[in-house]
Amino acid sequence: WESYHVQPENNLLKYLRNNYSHDDVELAKELYIIGTTCDGGTVFWLINEDLKVQKNKISYYTSNGKRTKRFKVPYKNEDGYYSCLFGGQFLSEEIKKSATIVLVESEKTAIVGHILLPNYVWLAYGGATALTDSKTDALIGFNVLIVPDMSSNAVKLIKDKMPSLIKKGVNVSIWDMRNGFTDEELDKK
């Protein structure tokens, strides 16, 4: 018999299990197909609306669920691999008719959103400047609420994209969670 090594869970999954129910985390892990690398990275598979894997992104987290600056993108655009929205596999005609898409910046936020508010479909665009035209093409005809990160720059980038999204046929609105506070005021809280 060959023995095999069972990969321990990554820090993000450990953090989620410490803060949310095991069943909710297990369902999110299965739905979003969250993996673990040999060196403890969290693998986020980017699967498009046609259920095709586009590429993956590997992020690293501390034990308290904070993302580190370390990440890997093993499959590169120059090799023919292109990003799509994280959670893009949930975009279907049935969802288009019945649910609101909540679009956030980070994959972790999408997963936590799914756990806390599963009546919405949670997707992530993967970085402040990563909401590209090719990614938003998949949202045409959907009702989308974009919740950018809480910085002036993140909100401005999304507000600047709103007219082109509307023109494209995305029924989109934005939720600016800063409630009028400046970046400096939020940093003091």
Side-chain angles (χ1 to χ4, degrees), residues 150 152 178-189:
M150 291 179 53
S152 298
R178 296 173 309 145
N179 293 323
F181 288 103
T182 66
D183 292 345
E184 294 78 24
E185 291 169 325
L186 289 170
D187 285 342
K188 291 178 186 175
K189 289 188 173 260

Side-chain angles (χ1 to χ4, degrees), residues 106-168:
S106 87
E107 295 85 0
K108 175 187 162 188
T109 304
I111 293 163
V112 171
H114 167 78
I115 291 170
L116 295 176
L117 297 166
N119 51 321
Y120 296 98
V121 178
W122 291 82
L123 307 179
Y125 49 94
T129 60
L131 190 57
T132 62
D133 286 338
S134 63
K135 286 181 183 179
T136 60
D137 286 346
L139 299 172
I140 294 171
F142 285 91
N143 295 318
V144 179
L145 173 64
I146 302 178
V147 184
D149 281 3
M150 291 179 53
S151 73
S152 298
N153 185 51
V155 172
K156 181 183 182 326
L157 287 168
I158 295 303
K159 284 184 176 179
D160 290 348
K161 284 207 173 283
M162 297 287 286
S164 66
L165 291 170
I166 292 166
K167 184 177 181 181
K168 184 184 279 198

Side-chain angles (χ1 to χ4, degrees), residues 61-72:
Y61 293 83
T62 64
S63 59
N64 66 356
K66 301 288 184 201
R67 193 181 71 221
T68 68
K69 294 193 182 295
R70 182 178 176 208
F71 71 94
K72 299 176 189 173

